[in-house]
Amino acid sequence: MAFVIAKGNMGVEKKFFVKFELMLMAILMMVSMESSMAALHRVGGKLGWNPNVNYSEWSDHERFYVGDWLLFNFDKRYFNVLEVNETSYDNCNDQGFIKNITRGGRDVVELTQLRPYYFLSSGGYCYHGMKVAVNVEMLPPAPEPAPVKNGSLTSDAVRLKIFHYMISFAVAYYYLVLLF
């Protein structure tokens, strides 16, 4: 959908088609952005990154995809986050780690590859459960819309639809009115 906007007089029909193309491109960009939204996973949920938390149970209830982020919340005076290989993870070995994720106690790491990731805390805390393994998968295709009960949408679905319509309108208004 390439087009050139010439300066000067442009016919009414041509302006309409240019505006229509711009609006269509904006909507397509929004749809593609919506389907590629990454998730932020708070490691350990409300418990955060602390000893005596079952991170295997936590990660079993999560789905991790390329582009998602892990958020580690912890007290940086006592704990840290190291990315390690599988052998170091299994043996709680903090020597020769791959990467030190620790920055300030609210640290994030992006999951950029299809592979298992292994994290632990050094200083013996790994032996108290401070280790987590996550397996990153390909993003599944977009799900089919959920069936509507009694012909009505849930309030969250309604709010989300209204939000999307407002964004679509704002983008279309920008391209159609403000640019011409």
Side-chain angles (χ1 to χ4, degrees):
M1 281 197 255
F3 58 90
V4 177
I5 300 175
K7 290 188 177 183
N9 279 340
M10 200 184 316
V12 174
E13 289 178 17
K14 191 169 186 174
K15 277 187 178 181
F16 170 79
F17 286 113
V18 168
K19 288 179 181 181
F20 180 76
E21 260 187 337
L22 286 169
M23 186 173 67
L24 188 60
M25 284 183 358
I27 291 170
L28 289 174
M29 286 182 353
M30 286 179 12
V31 168
S32 69
M33 285 175 20
E34 178 183 327
S35 65
S36 65
M37 296 277 251
L40 177 68
H41 302 272
R42 297 176 197 284
V43 177
K46 292 179 182 177
L47 300 174
W49 186 239
N50 288 294
N52 304 315
V53 175
N54 188 337
Y55 293 103
S56 296
E57 186 177 302
W58 171 81
S59 66
D60 286 345
H61 291 90
E62 300 281 326
R63 299 294 298 244
F64 305 96
Y65 302 108
V66 172
D68 283 359
W69 294 81
L70 297 178
L71 170 63
F72 292 86
N73 284 318
F74 58 96
D75 187 336
K76 70 177 183 171
R77 295 174 295 170
Y78 305 108
F79 313 121
N80 62 3
V81 182
L82 305 175
E83 183 181 354
V84 296
N85 62 32
E86 184 178 10
T87 304
S88 294
Y89 173 84
D90 290 338
N91 298 314
C92 284
N93 180 359
D94 58 8
Q95 303 301 308
F97 55 86
I98 297 170
K99 185 176 182 182
N100 185 348
I101 307 300
T102 311
R103 294 292 176 261
R106 291 179 177 254
D107 301 324
V108 293
V109 61
E110 185 178 11
L111 305 172
T112 59
Q113 299 174 5
L114 284 173
R115 67 176 177 91
Y117 286 79
Y118 302 96
F119 302 95
L120 58 78
S121 187
S122 64
Y125 293 107
C126 177
Y127 295 108
H128 296 281
M130 289 187 72
K131 66 180 189 174
V132 66
V134 299
N135 189 32
V136 177
E137 307 171 23
M138 283 296 282
L139 189 64
E144 292 295 318
V148 177
K149 296 179 183 176
N150 299 331
S152 64
L153 297 173
T154 66
S155 61
D156 287 340
V158 170
R159 275 190 237 122
L160 186 60
K161 280 193 172 291
I162 291 171
F163 176 74
H164 285 159
Y165 287 132
M166 289 173 57
I167 295 294
S168 299
F169 178 77
V171 170
Y173 180 82
Y174 173 78
Y175 282 112
L176 296 175
V177 176
L178 299 178
L179 289 181
F180 291 102

